[in-house]
Amino acid sequence: MEIIVQKYGGSSVADTEKLKIVCTHIIKEVKKGKKVVVVVSAQGKTTDKLIKEEQEITKNPCKREHDMLVSVGEQITIAKLSMLLKENGHDSISYLGWQVPIITDSNFGDANILEVGDEKILNSLASDKIVIVAGFQGIDKEYNITTLGRGGSDTTAIALADRLKAEKCEIFTDVDGVYAEDPNINKNAKKYDKISYDKMLEMANNGAKILHNKCVKLAKEKNVSIIVKSTFIEESTGTIVE
Ligand code: ADP
Ligand code: ASP
Ligand code: MG
């Protein structure tokens, strides 16, 4: 099976119109004969909104309940995207982290992935379903829901690409790749066609949120090359991180 993993961030799935654009990218790959696994984030600012609501209740939330709350945004996105794909004539199935399963340690709010199951996903792909996985979440060995840290859906995508031996891992976002500086702050920032893991890690550690730092570390460790590209620019060439 020629498997590819695509990840779409919050701004790429912010509303139904954007989800329709996401569908076109997925269907394009399906038509090429690829088996597609899609990782999605919560829509738009959903996670920020959940945290704001939590703050209205307590400034010192129980870490377990924090993860129980902030992980829910992704569940909405996976269900909607799966429905949209079916509406477009493509069979699809959505999975939460625990259903894959994505097993993590119990470091709530910043959990680390320990193991990723492949059986369920491979069976679904073999029966010609597009697989949609909720990013950012997992389950610990005591069956508690965990989250991987803000921006953690990037890490879910890399972990799946590694486990499934995907031929590529594309991270779709709202800019056309990795720039020397945030292109939304400096419009003249230079775009990289290619960047090393180490340079990318340095940028992620310095706060460039384009890729989650844990995702870059994992990609380097497992030698997964990443293509960062825009959901909204036709024929976006993006940046290869390898
Ligand atoms: P997503 O929701 O797709 O995960 P993020 O908001 O997490 O997207 O990351 C994309 C944003 O990262 C861009 O909109 C951009 O403003 C910001 N950014 C910061 N530094 C950089 C950089 N060096 N290159 C590209 N984008 C950057
Ligand atoms: N929804 C989560 C967040 O906002 C994860 C992600 O976007 O990658 O941090
Ligand atoms: Mg992000």
mmCIF file of all heavy atoms in Angstrom, residues 177-229:
data_model
loop_
_atom_site.group_PDB
_atom_site.id
_atom_site.type_symbol
_atom_site.label_atom_id
_atom_site.label_comp_id
_atom_site.label_asym_id
_atom_site.label_seq_id
_atom_site.Cartn_x
_atom_site.Cartn_y
_atom_site.Cartn_z
ATOM 1 N N GLY A 177 4.973 27.475 3.624
ATOM 2 C CA GLY A 177 6.195 26.767 3.993
ATOM 3 C C GLY A 177 6.879 27.428 5.168
ATOM 4 O O GLY A 177 6.268 28.234 5.891
ATOM 5 N N VAL A 178 8.147 27.068 5.337
ATOM 6 C CA VAL A 178 8.930 27.607 6.452
ATOM 7 C C VAL A 178 9.756 28.786 5.942
ATOM 8 O O VAL A 178 10.425 28.676 4.910
ATOM 9 C CB VAL A 178 9.861 26.524 7.048
ATOM 10 C CG1 VAL A 178 10.653 27.093 8.220
ATOM 11 C CG2 VAL A 178 9.068 25.287 7.462
ATOM 12 N N TYR A 179 9.666 29.885 6.634
ATOM 13 C CA TYR A 179 10.391 31.118 6.272
ATOM 14 C C TYR A 179 11.465 31.398 7.326
ATOM 15 O O TYR A 179 11.394 30.869 8.451
ATOM 16 C CB TYR A 179 9.421 32.299 6.214
ATOM 17 C CG TYR A 179 8.473 32.273 5.024
ATOM 18 C CD1 TYR A 179 7.401 31.371 4.968
ATOM 19 C CD2 TYR A 179 8.644 33.149 3.949
ATOM 20 C CE1 TYR A 179 6.531 31.347 3.882
ATOM 21 C CE2 TYR A 179 7.774 33.131 2.860
ATOM 22 C CZ TYR A 179 6.727 32.226 2.836
ATOM 23 O OH TYR A 179 5.867 32.204 1.755
ATOM 24 N N ALA A 180 12.400 32.273 6.971
ATOM 25 C CA ALA A 180 13.462 32.634 7.918
ATOM 26 C C ALA A 180 12.882 33.347 9.143
ATOM 27 O O ALA A 180 13.428 33.264 10.246
ATOM 28 C CB ALA A 180 14.502 33.510 7.227
ATOM 29 N N GLU A 181 11.762 34.036 8.927
ATOM 30 C CA GLU A 181 11.027 34.677 10.029
ATOM 31 C C GLU A 181 9.542 34.467 9.763
ATOM 32 O O GLU A 181 9.167 34.146 8.631
ATOM 33 C CB GLU A 181 11.270 36.199 10.027
ATOM 34 C CG GLU A 181 12.647 36.633 10.447
ATOM 35 C CD GLU A 181 12.817 38.127 10.146
ATOM 36 O OE1 GLU A 181 12.151 38.955 10.803
ATOM 37 O OE2 GLU A 181 13.576 38.439 9.219
ATOM 38 N N ASP A 182 8.720 34.741 10.769
ATOM 39 C CA ASP A 182 7.270 34.598 10.593
ATOM 40 C C ASP A 182 6.809 35.501 9.436
ATOM 41 O O ASP A 182 6.907 36.729 9.526
ATOM 42 C CB ASP A 182 6.562 35.004 11.900
ATOM 43 C CG ASP A 182 5.055 34.748 11.838
ATOM 44 O OD1 ASP A 182 4.503 34.673 10.726
ATOM 45 O OD2 ASP A 182 4.453 34.653 12.911
ATOM 46 N N PRO A 183 6.316 34.932 8.320
ATOM 47 C CA PRO A 183 5.930 35.751 7.160
ATOM 48 C C PRO A 183 4.717 36.647 7.442
ATOM 49 O O PRO A 183 4.477 37.600 6.699
ATOM 50 C CB PRO A 183 5.598 34.715 6.087
ATOM 51 C CG PRO A 183 5.260 33.477 6.844
ATOM 52 C CD PRO A 183 6.088 33.498 8.088
ATOM 53 N N ASN A 184 3.995 36.347 8.506
ATOM 54 C CA ASN A 184 2.874 37.224 8.868
ATOM 55 C C ASN A 184 3.356 38.460 9.622
ATOM 56 O O ASN A 184 2.601 39.411 9.822
ATOM 57 C CB ASN A 184 1.839 36.464 9.711
ATOM 58 C CG ASN A 184 1.050 35.495 8.839
ATOM 59 O OD1 ASN A 184 0.740 35.804 7.690
ATOM 60 N ND2 ASN A 184 0.738 34.332 9.369
ATOM 61 N N ILE A 185 4.617 38.445 10.048
ATOM 62 C CA ILE A 185 5.194 39.622 10.722
ATOM 63 C C ILE A 185 6.124 40.353 9.753
ATOM 64 O O ILE A 185 6.036 41.563 9.602
ATOM 65 C CB ILE A 185 5.931 39.201 12.022
ATOM 66 C CG1 ILE A 185 4.890 38.664 13.029
ATOM 67 C CG2 ILE A 185 6.724 40.375 12.613
ATOM 68 C CD1 ILE A 185 5.489 38.082 14.290
ATOM 69 N N ASN A 186 6.997 39.593 9.079
ATOM 70 C CA ASN A 186 7.883 40.206 8.090
ATOM 71 C C ASN A 186 7.531 39.675 6.695
ATOM 72 O O ASN A 186 7.871 38.548 6.344
ATOM 73 C CB ASN A 186 9.348 39.881 8.440
ATOM 74 C CG ASN A 186 10.312 40.490 7.437
ATOM 75 O OD1 ASN A 186 9.890 41.114 6.442
ATOM 76 N ND2 ASN A 186 11.602 40.305 7.664
ATOM 77 N N LYS A 187 6.845 40.533 5.925
ATOM 78 C CA LYS A 187 6.359 40.128 4.593
ATOM 79 C C LYS A 187 7.506 39.825 3.631
ATOM 80 O O LYS A 187 7.318 39.173 2.610
ATOM 81 C CB LYS A 187 5.473 41.230 3.997
ATOM 82 C CG LYS A 187 4.181 41.401 4.783
ATOM 83 C CD LYS A 187 3.013 41.708 3.884
ATOM 84 C CE LYS A 187 1.664 41.639 4.572
ATOM 85 N NZ LYS A 187 1.565 41.016 5.883
ATOM 86 N N ASN A 188 8.712 40.346 3.953
ATOM 87 C CA ASN A 188 9.859 40.112 3.068
ATOM 88 C C ASN A 188 10.713 38.921 3.505
ATOM 89 O O ASN A 188 11.788 38.704 2.941
ATOM 90 C CB ASN A 188 10.742 41.370 3.014
ATOM 91 C CG ASN A 188 9.958 42.553 2.475
ATOM 92 O OD1 ASN A 188 9.218 42.412 1.495
ATOM 93 N ND2 ASN A 188 10.069 43.705 3.132
ATOM 94 N N ALA A 189 10.241 38.201 4.498
ATOM 95 C CA ALA A 189 11.036 37.055 4.984
ATOM 96 C C ALA A 189 11.267 36.065 3.836
ATOM 97 O O ALA A 189 10.409 35.871 2.984
ATOM 98 C CB ALA A 189 10.298 36.361 6.129
ATOM 99 N N LYS A 190 12.445 35.454 3.861
ATOM 100 C CA LYS A 190 12.826 34.510 2.786
ATOM 101 C C LYS A 190 12.225 33.140 3.074
ATOM 102 O O LYS A 190 12.270 32.651 4.195
ATOM 103 C CB LYS A 190 14.352 34.444 2.771
ATOM 104 C CG LYS A 190 14.950 33.402 1.876
ATOM 105 C CD LYS A 190 16.489 33.406 2.029
ATOM 106 C CE LYS A 190 17.133 32.216 1.350
ATOM 107 N NZ LYS A 190 16.971 30.948 1.999
ATOM 108 N N LYS A 191 11.680 32.522 2.024
ATOM 109 C CA LYS A 191 11.138 31.166 2.196
ATOM 110 C C LYS A 191 12.218 30.137 1.897
ATOM 111 O O LYS A 191 13.011 30.310 0.976
ATOM 112 C CB LYS A 191 9.956 30.960 1.238
ATOM 113 C CG LYS A 191 9.192 29.703 1.533
ATOM 114 C CD LYS A 191 8.184 29.359 0.445
ATOM 115 C CE LYS A 191 8.411 27.928 0.059
ATOM 116 N NZ LYS A 191 8.174 27.568 -1.277
ATOM 117 N N TYR A 192 12.255 29.087 2.703
ATOM 118 C CA TYR A 192 13.193 27.991 2.447
ATOM 119 C C TYR A 192 12.510 26.946 1.563
ATOM 120 O O TYR A 192 11.372 26.578 1.830
ATOM 121 C CB TYR A 192 13.600 27.299 3.750
ATOM 122 C CG TYR A 192 14.347 28.163 4.731
ATOM 123 C CD1 TYR A 192 13.790 28.520 5.956
ATOM 124 C CD2 TYR A 192 15.644 28.599 4.450
ATOM 125 C CE1 TYR A 192 14.490 29.296 6.870
ATOM 126 C CE2 TYR A 192 16.352 29.375 5.363
ATOM 127 C CZ TYR A 192 15.763 29.717 6.572
ATOM 128 O OH TYR A 192 16.452 30.480 7.465
ATOM 129 N N ASP A 193 13.243 26.450 0.539
ATOM 130 C CA ASP A 193 12.720 25.315 -0.236
ATOM 131 C C ASP A 193 12.976 24.037 0.534
ATOM 132 O O ASP A 193 12.215 23.086 0.477
ATOM 133 C CB ASP A 193 13.410 25.225 -1.603
ATOM 134 C CG ASP A 193 13.012 26.399 -2.482
ATOM 135 O OD1 ASP A 193 11.875 26.886 -2.326
ATOM 136 O OD2 ASP A 193 13.860 26.851 -3.282
ATOM 137 N N LYS A 194 14.099 24.055 1.262
ATOM 138 C CA LYS A 194 14.527 22.893 2.024
ATOM 139 C C LYS A 194 15.181 23.396 3.302
ATOM 140 O O LYS A 194 15.827 24.444 3.287
ATOM 141 C CB LYS A 194 15.594 22.157 1.211
ATOM 142 C CG LYS A 194 15.452 20.669 1.240
ATOM 143 C CD LYS A 194 16.508 20.063 0.349
ATOM 144 C CE LYS A 194 15.936 18.862 -0.366
ATOM 145 N NZ LYS A 194 16.924 18.119 -1.100
ATOM 146 N N ILE A 195 15.028 22.670 4.388
ATOM 147 C CA ILE A 195 15.658 23.075 5.639
ATOM 148 C C ILE A 195 16.019 21.801 6.408
ATOM 149 O O ILE A 195 15.322 20.782 6.292
ATOM 150 C CB ILE A 195 14.715 24.029 6.434
ATOM 151 C CG1 ILE A 195 15.377 24.563 7.694
ATOM 152 C CG2 ILE A 195 13.397 23.403 6.768
ATOM 153 C CD1 ILE A 195 14.550 25.646 8.402
ATOM 154 N N SER A 196 17.100 21.849 7.174
ATOM 155 C CA SER A 196 17.514 20.646 7.924
ATOM 156 C C SER A 196 16.681 20.508 9.194
ATOM 157 O O SER A 196 16.127 21.490 9.703
ATOM 158 C CB SER A 196 18.994 20.745 8.292
ATOM 159 O OG SER A 196 19.154 21.762 9.262
ATOM 160 N N TYR A 197 16.640 19.289 9.738
ATOM 161 C CA TYR A 197 15.944 19.078 11.012
ATOM 162 C C TYR A 197 16.523 19.996 12.095
ATOM 163 O O TYR A 197 15.790 20.583 12.893
ATOM 164 C CB TYR A 197 16.121 17.625 11.488
ATOM 165 C CG TYR A 197 15.422 16.585 10.650
ATOM 166 C CD1 TYR A 197 16.140 15.523 10.092
ATOM 167 C CD2 TYR A 197 14.049 16.619 10.455
ATOM 168 C CE1 TYR A 197 15.504 14.537 9.353
ATOM 169 C CE2 TYR A 197 13.408 15.638 9.704
ATOM 170 C CZ TYR A 197 14.145 14.606 9.158
ATOM 171 O OH TYR A 197 13.508 13.631 8.424
ATOM 172 N N ASP A 198 17.861 20.090 12.118
ATOM 173 C CA ASP A 198 18.486 20.863 13.202
ATOM 174 C C ASP A 198 18.128 22.339 13.138
ATOM 175 O O ASP A 198 17.825 22.957 14.157
ATOM 176 C CB ASP A 198 20.014 20.670 13.166
ATOM 177 C CG ASP A 198 20.380 19.273 13.642
ATOM 178 O OD1 ASP A 198 19.585 18.681 14.405
ATOM 179 O OD2 ASP A 198 21.444 18.767 13.224
ATOM 180 N N LYS A 199 18.132 22.899 11.922
ATOM 181 C CA LYS A 199 17.781 24.312 11.773
ATOM 182 C C LYS A 199 16.305 24.521 12.151
ATOM 183 O O LYS A 199 15.943 25.483 12.842
ATOM 184 C CB LYS A 199 18.053 24.747 10.321
ATOM 185 C CG LYS A 199 17.652 26.159 9.981
ATOM 186 C CD LYS A 199 18.639 27.180 10.527
ATOM 187 C CE LYS A 199 18.121 28.593 10.299
ATOM 188 N NZ LYS A 199 18.596 29.552 11.265
ATOM 189 N N MET A 200 15.467 23.587 11.702
ATOM 190 C CA MET A 200 14.035 23.685 12.000
ATOM 191 C C MET A 200 13.789 23.572 13.499
ATOM 192 O O MET A 200 12.969 24.296 14.065
ATOM 193 C CB MET A 200 13.275 22.577 11.240
ATOM 194 C CG MET A 200 11.770 22.694 11.310
ATOM 195 S SD MET A 200 11.134 24.206 10.576
ATOM 196 C CE MET A 200 10.313 24.958 11.965
ATOM 197 N N LEU A 201 14.534 22.674 14.135
ATOM 198 C CA LEU A 201 14.383 22.476 15.580
ATOM 199 C C LEU A 201 14.787 23.739 16.336
ATOM 200 O O LEU A 201 14.095 24.161 17.274
ATOM 201 C CB LEU A 201 15.253 21.285 16.024
ATOM 202 C CG LEU A 201 15.000 20.742 17.410
ATOM 203 C CD1 LEU A 201 13.533 20.341 17.564
ATOM 204 C CD2 LEU A 201 15.883 19.518 17.662
ATOM 205 N N GLU A 202 15.858 24.353 15.869
ATOM 206 C CA GLU A 202 16.320 25.598 16.500
ATOM 207 C C GLU A 202 15.202 26.651 16.387
ATOM 208 O O GLU A 202 14.884 27.337 17.361
ATOM 209 C CB GLU A 202 17.584 26.048 15.755
ATOM 210 C CG GLU A 202 18.304 27.243 16.338
ATOM 211 C CD GLU A 202 19.396 27.716 15.368
ATOM 212 O OE1 GLU A 202 20.181 26.873 14.871
ATOM 213 O OE2 GLU A 202 19.430 28.935 15.084
ATOM 214 N N MET A 203 14.587 26.738 15.192
ATOM 215 C CA MET A 203 13.517 27.727 15.009
ATOM 216 C C MET A 203 12.301 27.390 15.879
ATOM 217 O O MET A 203 11.711 28.267 16.509
ATOM 218 C CB MET A 203 13.098 27.798 13.527
ATOM 219 C CG MET A 203 14.180 28.424 12.667
ATOM 220 S SD MET A 203 13.822 28.274 10.911
ATOM 221 C CE MET A 203 12.437 29.364 10.769
ATOM 222 N N ALA A 204 11.950 26.097 15.933
ATOM 223 C CA ALA A 204 10.784 25.690 16.738
ATOM 224 C C ALA A 204 11.050 25.962 18.223
ATOM 225 O O ALA A 204 10.169 26.446 18.944
ATOM 226 C CB ALA A 204 10.476 24.216 16.503
ATOM 227 N N ASN A 205 12.275 25.696 18.659
ATOM 228 C CA ASN A 205 12.617 25.955 20.069
ATOM 229 C C ASN A 205 12.602 27.437 20.383
ATOM 230 O O ASN A 205 12.355 27.837 21.520
ATOM 231 C CB ASN A 205 13.992 25.363 20.410
ATOM 232 C CG ASN A 205 13.939 23.852 20.541
ATOM 233 O OD1 ASN A 205 12.879 23.284 20.828
ATOM 234 N ND2 ASN A 205 15.061 23.193 20.313
ATOM 235 N N ASN A 206 12.841 28.259 19.347
ATOM 236 C CA ASN A 206 12.807 29.714 19.547
ATOM 237 C C ASN A 206 11.405 30.274 19.370
ATOM 238 O O ASN A 206 11.221 31.486 19.269
ATOM 239 C CB ASN A 206 13.784 30.416 18.598
ATOM 240 C CG ASN A 206 15.225 30.195 19.023
ATOM 241 O OD1 ASN A 206 15.500 30.013 20.212
ATOM 242 N ND2 ASN A 206 16.139 30.192 18.069
ATOM 243 N N GLY A 207 10.413 29.395 19.252
ATOM 244 C CA GLY A 207 9.018 29.852 19.258
ATOM 245 C C GLY A 207 8.342 29.961 17.904
ATOM 246 O O GLY A 207 7.191 30.394 17.838
ATOM 247 N N ALA A 208 9.014 29.544 16.816
ATOM 248 C CA ALA A 208 8.337 29.574 15.501
ATOM 249 C C ALA A 208 7.304 28.445 15.522
ATOM 250 O O ALA A 208 7.654 27.276 15.468
ATOM 251 C CB ALA A 208 9.348 29.345 14.386
ATOM 252 N N LYS A 209 6.022 28.804 15.630
ATOM 253 C CA LYS A 209 5.033 27.743 15.871
ATOM 254 C C LYS A 209 4.630 26.987 14.602
ATOM 255 O O LYS A 209 3.755 26.115 14.670
ATOM 256 C CB LYS A 209 3.807 28.308 16.589
ATOM 257 C CG LYS A 209 3.016 29.307 15.767
ATOM 258 C CD LYS A 209 1.700 29.614 16.449
ATOM 259 C CE LYS A 209 0.889 30.545 15.574
ATOM 260 N NZ LYS A 209 -0.492 30.643 15.980
ATOM 261 N N ILE A 210 5.296 27.297 13.505
ATOM 262 C CA ILE A 210 4.962 26.603 12.253
ATOM 263 C C ILE A 210 5.018 25.079 12.408
ATOM 264 O O ILE A 210 4.180 24.372 11.863
ATOM 265 C CB ILE A 210 5.858 27.115 11.082
ATOM 266 C CG1 ILE A 210 5.529 26.442 9.770
ATOM 267 C CG2 ILE A 210 7.348 27.009 11.366
ATOM 268 C CD1 ILE A 210 4.331 26.987 9.095
ATOM 269 N N LEU A 211 5.995 24.564 13.165
ATOM 270 C CA LEU A 211 6.016 23.130 13.510
ATOM 271 C C LEU A 211 6.276 22.975 15.002
ATOM 272 O O LEU A 211 7.121 23.677 15.569
ATOM 273 C CB LEU A 211 7.112 22.386 12.730
ATOM 274 C CG LEU A 211 6.911 22.131 11.241
ATOM 275 C CD1 LEU A 211 8.125 21.405 10.663
ATOM 276 C CD2 LEU A 211 5.654 21.320 10.965
ATOM 277 N N HIS A 212 5.572 22.056 15.619
ATOM 278 C CA HIS A 212 5.733 21.748 17.037
ATOM 279 C C HIS A 212 7.141 21.184 17.252
ATOM 280 O O HIS A 212 7.593 20.351 16.472
ATOM 281 C CB HIS A 212 4.673 20.682 17.368
ATOM 282 C CG HIS A 212 4.467 20.419 18.807
ATOM 283 N ND1 HIS A 212 4.239 19.161 19.296
ATOM 284 C CD2 HIS A 212 4.420 21.242 19.865
ATOM 285 C CE1 HIS A 212 4.059 19.215 20.596
ATOM 286 N NE2 HIS A 212 4.162 20.478 20.970
ATOM 287 N N ASN A 213 7.848 21.637 18.294
ATOM 288 C CA ASN A 213 9.244 21.186 18.430
ATOM 289 C C ASN A 213 9.374 19.677 18.613
ATOM 290 O O ASN A 213 10.271 19.041 18.065
ATOM 291 C CB ASN A 213 10.015 21.969 19.491
ATOM 292 C CG ASN A 213 9.380 21.905 20.852
ATOM 293 O OD1 ASN A 213 8.290 21.347 21.019
ATOM 294 N ND2 ASN A 213 10.050 22.461 21.843
ATOM 295 N N LYS A 214 8.400 19.070 19.330
ATOM 296 C CA LYS A 214 8.464 17.609 19.519
ATOM 297 C C LYS A 214 8.314 16.873 18.192
ATOM 298 O O LYS A 214 8.847 15.786 18.019
ATOM 299 C CB LYS A 214 7.312 17.158 20.431
ATOM 300 C CG LYS A 214 7.611 17.251 21.894
ATOM 301 C CD LYS A 214 6.524 16.456 22.617
ATOM 302 C CE LYS A 214 6.517 16.771 24.080
ATOM 303 N NZ LYS A 214 5.315 16.253 24.731
ATOM 304 N N CYS A 215 7.555 17.472 17.289
ATOM 305 C CA CYS A 215 7.343 16.843 15.982
ATOM 306 C C CYS A 215 8.655 16.827 15.209
ATOM 307 O O CYS A 215 9.001 15.843 14.567
ATOM 308 C CB CYS A 215 6.233 17.594 15.231
ATOM 309 S SG CYS A 215 6.591 18.132 13.576
ATOM 310 N N VAL A 216 9.417 17.910 15.297
ATOM 311 C CA VAL A 216 10.690 17.978 14.563
ATOM 312 C C VAL A 216 11.691 16.983 15.158
ATOM 313 O O VAL A 216 12.389 16.273 14.433
ATOM 314 C CB VAL A 216 11.267 19.415 14.567
ATOM 315 C CG1 VAL A 216 12.500 19.498 13.682
ATOM 316 C CG2 VAL A 216 10.222 20.431 14.124
ATOM 317 N N LYS A 217 11.706 16.905 16.489
ATOM 318 C CA LYS A 217 12.612 15.955 17.164
ATOM 319 C C LYS A 217 12.295 14.526 16.732
ATOM 320 O O LYS A 217 13.179 13.745 16.410
ATOM 321 C CB LYS A 217 12.415 16.050 18.688
ATOM 322 C CG LYS A 217 13.432 16.934 19.372
ATOM 323 C CD LYS A 217 13.271 16.846 20.884
ATOM 324 C CE LYS A 217 13.244 18.257 21.442
ATOM 325 N NZ LYS A 217 12.641 18.410 22.732
ATOM 326 N N LEU A 218 11.006 14.197 16.729
ATOM 327 C CA LEU A 218 10.581 12.843 16.362
ATOM 328 C C LEU A 218 10.904 12.557 14.892
ATOM 329 O O LEU A 218 11.374 11.471 14.549
ATOM 330 C CB LEU A 218 9.071 12.701 16.624
ATOM 331 C CG LEU A 218 8.479 11.315 16.454
ATOM 332 C CD1 LEU A 218 9.062 10.344 17.484
ATOM 333 C CD2 LEU A 218 6.953 11.350 16.610
ATOM 334 N N ALA A 219 10.670 13.547 14.037
ATOM 335 C CA ALA A 219 10.939 13.360 12.609
ATOM 336 C C ALA A 219 12.432 13.093 12.385
ATOM 337 O O ALA A 219 12.805 12.221 11.589
ATOM 338 C CB ALA A 219 10.486 14.585 11.820
ATOM 339 N N LYS A 220 13.266 13.807 13.132
ATOM 340 C CA LYS A 220 14.709 13.614 12.994
ATOM 341 C C LYS A 220 15.096 12.201 13.476
ATOM 342 O O LYS A 220 15.800 11.480 12.797
ATOM 343 C CB LYS A 220 15.448 14.681 13.807
ATOM 344 C CG LYS A 220 16.942 14.580 13.652
ATOM 345 C CD LYS A 220 17.709 15.571 14.473
ATOM 346 C CE LYS A 220 19.208 15.265 14.337
ATOM 347 N NZ LYS A 220 20.014 15.996 15.294
ATOM 348 N N GLU A 221 14.566 11.842 14.640
ATOM 349 C CA GLU A 221 14.891 10.535 15.223
ATOM 350 C C GLU A 221 14.458 9.382 14.306
ATOM 351 O O GLU A 221 15.176 8.408 14.136
ATOM 352 C CB GLU A 221 14.148 10.451 16.559
ATOM 353 C CG GLU A 221 14.458 9.251 17.416
ATOM 354 C CD GLU A 221 13.481 9.205 18.596
ATOM 355 O OE1 GLU A 221 13.212 10.266 19.209
ATOM 356 O OE2 GLU A 221 12.961 8.105 18.863
ATOM 357 N N LYS A 222 13.297 9.533 13.690
ATOM 358 C CA LYS A 222 12.752 8.435 12.875
ATOM 359 C C LYS A 222 13.042 8.616 11.382
ATOM 360 O O LYS A 222 12.591 7.837 10.556
ATOM 361 C CB LYS A 222 11.224 8.350 13.061
ATOM 362 C CG LYS A 222 10.789 8.200 14.502
ATOM 363 C CD LYS A 222 11.088 6.799 15.014
ATOM 364 C CE LYS A 222 10.512 6.581 16.403
ATOM 365 N NZ LYS A 222 10.842 5.249 16.925
ATOM 366 N N ASN A 223 13.720 9.719 11.064
ATOM 367 C CA ASN A 223 14.052 10.026 9.671
ATOM 368 C C ASN A 223 12.808 10.131 8.765
ATOM 369 O O ASN A 223 12.771 9.581 7.661
ATOM 370 C CB ASN A 223 15.048 8.992 9.137
ATOM 371 C CG ASN A 223 15.814 9.529 7.956
ATOM 372 O OD1 ASN A 223 15.969 10.753 7.826
ATOM 373 N ND2 ASN A 223 16.250 8.649 7.072
ATOM 374 N N VAL A 224 11.804 10.841 9.242
ATOM 375 C CA VAL A 224 10.584 11.079 8.450
ATOM 376 C C VAL A 224 10.738 12.457 7.799
ATOM 377 O O VAL A 224 10.925 13.452 8.508
ATOM 378 C CB VAL A 224 9.325 11.100 9.356
ATOM 379 C CG1 VAL A 224 8.075 11.477 8.564
ATOM 380 C CG2 VAL A 224 9.142 9.756 10.050
ATOM 381 N N SER A 225 10.711 12.528 6.464
ATOM 382 C CA SER A 225 10.799 13.883 5.897
ATOM 383 C C SER A 225 9.407 14.507 5.859
ATOM 384 O O SER A 225 8.399 13.836 5.670
ATOM 385 C CB SER A 225 11.512 13.921 4.557
ATOM 386 O OG SER A 225 10.963 12.995 3.708
ATOM 387 N N ILE A 226 9.407 15.819 6.096
ATOM 388 C CA ILE A 226 8.150 16.558 6.238
ATOM 389 C C ILE A 226 8.055 17.570 5.102
ATOM 390 O O ILE A 226 9.041 18.243 4.788
ATOM 391 C CB ILE A 226 8.128 17.364 7.568
ATOM 392 C CG1 ILE A 226 8.594 16.514 8.758
ATOM 393 C CG2 ILE A 226 6.768 17.975 7.830
ATOM 394 C CD1 ILE A 226 8.794 17.339 10.041
ATOM 395 N N ILE A 227 6.873 17.685 4.515
ATOM 396 C CA ILE A 227 6.644 18.754 3.540
ATOM 397 C C ILE A 227 5.647 19.709 4.171
ATOM 398 O O ILE A 227 4.526 19.318 4.501
ATOM 399 C CB ILE A 227 6.082 18.183 2.213
ATOM 400 C CG1 ILE A 227 7.037 17.105 1.661
ATOM 401 C CG2 ILE A 227 5.875 19.307 1.184
ATOM 402 C CD1 ILE A 227 6.359 16.090 0.805
ATOM 403 N N VAL A 228 6.070 20.949 4.381
ATOM 404 C CA VAL A 228 5.181 21.962 4.956
ATOM 405 C C VAL A 228 4.647 22.797 3.804
ATOM 406 O O VAL A 228 5.430 23.361 3.025
ATOM 407 C CB VAL A 228 5.951 22.892 5.925
ATOM 408 C CG1 VAL A 228 5.010 23.921 6.548
ATOM 409 C CG2 VAL A 228 6.647 22.090 7.024
ATOM 410 N N LYS A 229 3.330 22.871 3.637
ATOM 411 C CA LYS A 229 2.785 23.616 2.494
ATOM 412 C C LYS A 229 1.451 24.262 2.824
ATOM 413 O O LYS A 229 0.844 23.956 3.862
ATOM 414 C CB LYS A 229 2.689 22.709 1.278
ATOM 415 C CG LYS A 229 1.732 21.561 1.434
ATOM 416 C CD LYS A 229 2.069 20.379 0.538
ATOM 417 C CE LYS A 229 1.802 20.639 -0.916
ATOM 418 N NZ LYS A 229 1.836 19.387 -1.710
#
